[in-house]
Amino acid sequence: MEVSMTEVMVLQHIRCETLGLIEEELINSVIKPRIVRIFDGEPVPKDIEGYGGLIVMGGPMGVYEQERYPFLVDEMRLMECAMNKKKPVLGVCLGSQLLAAVLGARVYSGSRAEIGWYEVLLTEAARSDRIWSHACMEHGDRLTPLHWHGDLFDLPSRSKILASSDMTPCQAFVYDSTSYGILFHMEVTEKAVTEMTSVFDQELRINKLKGKNICSESPKYLPSLHRIGRSVFGRWVKLLE
């Protein structure tokens, strides 16, 4: 059956890391997400033909764990396929790490996990970027998103760095003006934050963090974060059209 160009393919690795705010922007633009539920064992499609673009969400696995998670190889091939066909790609958290790896960058384990609400500084490149510039103009060059990662990546060749934090030099990047990697989480809802702290409770304990503290700060940061997120994701979604 032929797929409408108003559909976008979404790879979801774990139940609690949903599209969140991104889905709202897709609905606003009458674009339907076709969610591939990796966590339920759904196979990664071999081609992106017929879809307007590709979104790859977060997850607890690492890019370098391909023997343990062989579907990661298939995902990287699909991302490469999408870019070769000039279709927009958005990678969030693990998705950004996979995108960096596809582009030849090193992905590696950091010295410690970056989990919680930490400030991110947007770069000069973000101020002139097609999806980030409006957010910079309206909200300034600082934001405080949710971070939940232990792995880092180098800036891929021929890419522009869009954001950084004290712990992580490359928090977001763009390649070829249509492929975006965002390591932090702007898409999360209050419900998603609560679910993540429950699902990843063991990781929090290992890092001597308390989920209730992260959840208690959601009302403080989410309103301004969502204003920025709607601007950025809304403009990325327009690339699908």
Side-chain angles (χ1 to χ4, degrees):
M1 185 175 74
E2 186 177 350
V3 182
S4 169
M5 285 299 289
T6 57
E7 290 192 70
V8 60
M9 188 180 295
V10 181
L11 306 183
Q12 184 178 345
H13 300 101
I14 189 166
R15 197 178 302 274
C16 65
E17 295 202 40
T18 65
L19 283 169
L21 201 65
I22 303 170
E23 186 165 18
E24 291 182 23
E25 295 307 316
L26 290 170
I27 291 170
N28 288 341
S29 293
V30 200
I31 294 175
K32 180 182 177 182
R34 153 64 167 111
I35 299 176
V36 181
R37 292 171 174 80
I38 306 296
F39 58 88
D40 275 342
E42 287 189 36
V44 178
K46 295 186 182 298
D47 204 311
I48 196 74
E49 190 62 41
Y51 290 88
L54 176 66
I55 300 173
V56 184
M57 298 303 297
M61 55 286 297
V63 172
Y64 42 78
E65 296 183 291
Q66 294 170 18
E67 287 189 10
R68 184 178 178 185
Y69 304 106
F71 57 80
L72 294 174
V73 176
D74 298 327
E75 292 190 23
M76 291 171 70
R77 286 175 182 155
L78 188 64
M79 295 175 91
E80 188 173 19
C81 172
M83 287 188 287
N84 286 340
K85 294 187 175 184
K86 304 299 182 183
K87 293 181 184 288
V89 175
L90 175 62
V92 176
C93 201
L94 172 61
S96 70
Q97 297 164 16
L98 289 165
L99 179 60
V102 169
L103 295 170
R106 179 176 65 116
V107 181
Y108 55 97
S109 181
S111 59
R112 62 189 177 99
E114 187 173 22
I115 300 173
W117 304 93
Y118 297 105
E119 188 177 74
V120 161
L121 178 65
L122 300 176
T123 66
E124 188 64 40
R127 295 187 193 102
S128 59
D129 181 75
R130 66 197 298 184
I131 77 167
W132 280 94
S133 59
H134 187 268
C136 290
M137 182 173 61
E138 291 289 318
H139 307 289
D141 58 4
R142 296 176 187 272
L143 65 150
T144 305
L146 178 68
H147 301 259
W148 206 302
H149 67 93
D151 290 346
L152 312 174
F153 50 79
D154 294 334
L155 179 65
S157 176
R158 295 188 292 124
S159 300
K160 295 179 181 178
I161 186 168
L162 300 172
S164 63
S165 68
D166 288 341
M167 284 181 59
T168 307
C170 189
Q171 282 278 2
F173 69 93
V174 58
Y175 172 80
D176 199 26
S177 75
T178 56
S179 294
Y180 287 84
I182 302 174
L183 188 56
F184 52 85
H185 295 276
M186 292 194 298
E187 82 288 353
V188 289
T189 60
E190 193 164 350
K191 178 183 176 183
V193 175
T194 301
E195 290 179 350
M196 288 172 71
T197 58
S198 175
V199 171
F200 302 130
D201 178 64
Q202 185 177 0
E203 184 181 9
L204 289 174
R205 278 191 249 165
I206 291 172
N207 288 279
K208 299 180 179 179
L209 297 168
K210 292 184 178 180
K212 66 179 182 180
N213 292 342
I214 294 174
C215 291
S216 69
E217 292 189 294
S218 292
K220 177 181 178 181
Y221 294 117
L222 281 179
S224 61
L225 183 64
H226 280 183
R227 286 192 290 272
I228 296 168
R230 285 191 178 93
S231 174
V232 172
F233 294 138
R235 281 165 174 75
W236 184 84
V237 165
K238 294 298 181 185
L239 302 179
L240 301 170
E241 300 173 355

